[in-house]
Amino acid sequence: QVEKRLELVKQVSHSTHKKLTACLQGQQGVDADKRSKKLPLTTLAQCLTEGSAVLGDDCLLGRVLARRCPAAAEVPRRRRRGRRGGQRFAPLGRPAPFSLMFLQVEIPNIQKQRKHLAKLVLDMDSSRTRWQQSAKSSASSSNLPPSGAKADALREEMEEAANRVEICRDQLSADMYSFVAKEIDYANYFQTLIEVQAEYHRKSLALLQNVLPQIKAQQEAWIEKPSFGKPLEEHLAVSGREIAFPVEACVTMLLECGMQEEGLFRVAPSASKLKKLKAALDCCVVDVQEYSADPHAIAGALKSYLRELPEPLMTFELYDEWIQASNMQEQDKRLQALWNACEKLPKANYNNIRYLIKFLARLTEYQDMNKMTPSNVAIVLGPNLLWPQAEGNITEMMTTVSLQIVGIIEPLIQHADWFFPGDIEFNVTGNYGSPMHVNHNANYSSMPSPDMDHADRKQHDQSRRPLSVATDNMMLEFYKKDG
């Protein structure tokens, strides 16, 4: 049983030693530095270092790789130091304890004892054979047992050989019993392997966790982030803007080249042009000259941005309030309810809806040429500004909600200067030469000062009544004629 158990232990030890040796990525006799250069982690670190140098700091990926390189280079260095650690060995590295205790000392000694015992047994059998042959020859000549000096020498030789066999057999048995008794000590080397592996991975994890916040900080500080499909406040916070970049870029370009374009926002653009412009806006790089001849693509990109927002510009929270306001029959009450809903918009949403509505009001001033009346604009653009949170069948939604949304957006456009008093600079960042939106109703005594902030204006107008549509239109026409 002991021999069988010893054989199994030997097999397991040999197999483990073999696998550990294979993890050295080369033969044990090869120079350690040459061997370490072949490690996958080392080649990965070199690749990252070269990549960061090629990309440079002008590219986010280059910055991230630059922060990652020290950690990538340190991990294989830790592994190499662990392999040179003598009695302690790195994971997947130097299998010294197994070689020393199992395969180079204990098991070889037992195997050597076995071979020596086998030789002694052969010697004893040979001595016994010679003594037996001497006894037979003596017996053939006489009936007396073998005697004489020769016979005594053969007998002594046989007894001595038997004694050596017995001593060797006892020694072998003692070594095997000792091996089994110390099996717990040998098992500790497997435990040591796991402990060192855990220590190695803990240090590597600490190293990587230390560099991870630096990489995250680089990504968070990078301004050139996609804007399509991202929350409005997140995009504004990252870019440091008040008006979303796609909104400002599209509006300023349309003010230059699209105000008289018939069917703007209604005519579908080229799919390839639209896709290209959206991708360009996503990385904040737009060639104005390229798209000045295709205002429909610009209008389509603006509609896509508004529609792809996770939450509509007019918010899910105020959806019911907007719909209730549109259902009011009396004109003045409906306008007042819409104004109240506008005042409840978050600051980022308010700034962008104000910017957009002012632009749409400017667009409708050219309705004789572009055929886009406030009603037409509300029909094609309204569903991109407000939609219910739990969308069902799209056809059903269009039939039941679209008319109500048109009833919200159309008056906002018609009375843009009443809902959002004050002039507005469309070209916020100064990249385009856009004119200011003139407030035709600036002399109305009921208007709060445009210098008031959002909260002060809200408090000032709590009891304010809306102008009637007739008065508003009459004053609009008056100021138009007045020049």
Side-chain angles (χ1 to χ4, degrees), residues 41-59:
L41 285 175
T42 304
T43 57
L44 173 63
Q46 292 173 347
C47 178
L48 293 178
T49 303
E50 293 169 1
S52 65
V54 170
L55 294 174
D57 282 346
D58 293 336
C59 175

Side-chain angles (χ1 to χ4, degrees), residues 285-297:
V285 179
V286 181
D287 185 352
V288 180
Q289 298 299 324
E290 178 181 358
Y291 294 99
S292 60
D294 193 357
H296 294 294

Side-chain angles (χ1 to χ4, degrees), residues 119-155:
K119 182 177 179 300
L120 291 178
V121 170
L122 289 176
D123 292 344
M124 183 186 68
D125 291 341
S126 177
S127 299
R128 182 182 291 112
T129 301
R130 288 197 301 272
W131 184 80
Q132 288 175 349
Q133 287 176 350
S134 175
K136 285 181 181 180
S137 62
S138 298
S140 62
S141 60
S142 65
N143 294 328
L144 297 176
S147 59
K150 185 177 179 181
D152 292 341
L154 289 174
R155 186 175 64 253

Side-chain angles (χ1 to χ4, degrees), residues 428-462:
V428 180
T429 55
N431 293 329
Y432 308 94
S434 302
M436 292 181 68
H437 181 93
V438 180
N439 183 1
H440 299 294
N441 299 328
N443 293 332
Y444 290 169
S445 61
S446 62
M447 290 294 171
S449 169
D451 297 328
M452 288 185 181
D453 62 20
H454 191 72
D456 292 340
R457 186 173 70 252
K458 181 176 181 180
Q459 183 177 2
H460 178 274
D461 289 323
Q462 287 296 328

Side-chain angles (χ1 to χ4, degrees), residues 7-62:
E7 189 63 30
L8 293 176
V9 170
K10 174 187 170 185
Q11 292 176 7
V12 172
S13 301
H14 269 295
S15 176
T16 305
H17 175 264
K18 235 173 128 181
K19 299 301 180 185
L20 285 171
T21 304
C23 292
L24 289 173
Q25 302 292 335
Q27 300 300 319
Q28 289 185 332
V30 180
D31 181 76
D33 291 334
K34 292 182 180 178
R35 193 165 59 238
S36 66
K37 290 179 181 178
K38 296 181 181 179
L39 283 171
L41 285 175
T42 304
T43 57
L44 173 63
Q46 292 173 347
C47 178
L48 293 178
T49 303
E50 293 169 1
S52 65
V54 170
L55 294 174
D57 282 346
D58 293 336
C59 175
L60 175 60
L61 189 56

Side-chain angles (χ1 to χ4, degrees), residues 123-421:
D123 292 344
M124 183 186 68
D125 291 341
S126 177
S127 299
R128 182 182 291 112
T129 301
R130 288 197 301 272
W131 184 80
Q132 288 175 349
Q133 287 176 350
S134 175
K136 285 181 181 180
S137 62
S138 298
S140 62
S141 60
S142 65
N143 294 328
L144 297 176
S147 59
K150 185 177 179 181
D152 292 341
L154 289 174
R155 186 175 64 253
E156 288 177 5
E157 182 182 345
M158 180 185 69
E159 291 174 354
E160 187 177 347
N163 189 41
R164 286 197 297 268
V165 168
E166 187 65 24
I167 293 172
C168 186
R169 183 179 287 117
D170 291 342
Q171 183 63 46
L172 176 59
S173 298
D175 288 346
M176 288 195 295
Y177 287 140
S178 177
F179 181 89
V180 173
K182 292 192 297 184
E183 194 170 307
I184 186 172
D185 296 331
Y186 304 142
N188 284 337
Y189 287 106
F190 287 93
Q191 178 182 331
T192 302
L193 172 63
I194 297 174
E195 289 174 350
V196 176
Q197 280 181 314
E199 181 184 359
Y200 162 76
H201 288 297
R202 273 196 300 269
K203 290 181 179 178
S204 298
L205 178 62
L207 190 68
L208 296 176
Q209 285 180 331
N210 183 49
V211 77
L212 193 58
Q214 301 175 28
I215 293 176
K216 287 183 177 179
Q218 287 289 334
Q219 291 178 294
E220 290 171 0
W222 197 254
I223 296 177
E224 297 174 5
K225 286 186 177 179
S227 52
F228 280 78
K230 304 297 180 182
L232 176 66
E233 290 189 358
E234 177 185 313
H235 166 62
L236 297 179
V238 168
S239 58
R241 307 171 61 90
E242 288 188 359
I243 305 301
F245 174 75
V247 174
E248 182 188 346
C250 291
V251 164
T252 48
M253 285 192 290
L254 288 174
L255 284 168
E256 295 295 332
C257 66
M259 302 303 284
Q260 300 181 22
E261 187 71 22
E262 184 174 343
L264 195 69
F265 291 107
R266 190 179 67 223
V267 176
S270 164
S272 60
K273 280 286 185 184
L274 176 60
K275 184 177 180 180
K276 180 180 177 181
L277 178 55
K278 286 173 63 178
L281 291 169
D282 244 351
C283 63
C284 304
V285 179
V286 181
D287 185 352
V288 180
Q289 298 299 324
E290 178 181 358
Y291 294 99
S292 60
D294 193 357
H296 294 294
I298 302 171
L302 178 56
K303 286 172 65 177
S304 293
Y305 172 76
L306 296 171
R307 184 61 190 173
E308 292 176 20
L309 287 171
E311 182 178 13
L313 200 57
M314 300 174 76
T315 75
F316 289 131
E317 184 179 354
L318 295 174
Y319 177 81
D320 292 336
E321 191 166 337
W322 289 115
I323 296 299
Q324 290 172 8
S326 71
N327 290 333
M328 292 183 178
Q329 298 300 319
E330 191 175 335
Q331 177 77 4
D332 286 354
K333 289 184 178 180
R334 181 165 69 252
L335 293 176
Q336 183 65 58
L338 291 173
W339 183 86
N340 291 337
C342 281
E343 295 299 301
K344 294 179 182 179
L345 285 168
K347 184 178 179 181
N349 298 68
Y350 180 89
N351 290 338
N352 280 268
I353 197 70
R354 174 176 178 267
Y355 182 93
L356 191 61
I357 293 297
K358 289 277 196 177
F359 162 70
L360 296 177
R362 170 65 65 87
L363 179 67
T364 58
E365 293 177 7
Y366 298 86
Q367 58 185 277
D368 291 340
M369 289 168 283
N370 59 35
K371 311 302 181 186
M372 296 305 292
T373 63
S375 176
N376 289 340
V377 173
I379 289 171
V380 296
L381 209 57
N384 301 292
L385 295 172
L386 182 65
W387 61 84
Q389 187 166 8
E391 292 190 29
N393 183 275
I394 190 67
T395 305
E396 180 183 349
M397 186 196 76
M398 292 299 290
T399 55
T400 57
V401 177
S402 287
L403 290 178
Q404 294 171 311
I405 294 179
V406 170
I408 298 167
I409 305 301
E410 183 177 2
L412 290 180
I413 298 173
Q414 290 173 331
H415 312 293
D417 292 323
W418 181 80
F419 282 104
F420 307 105

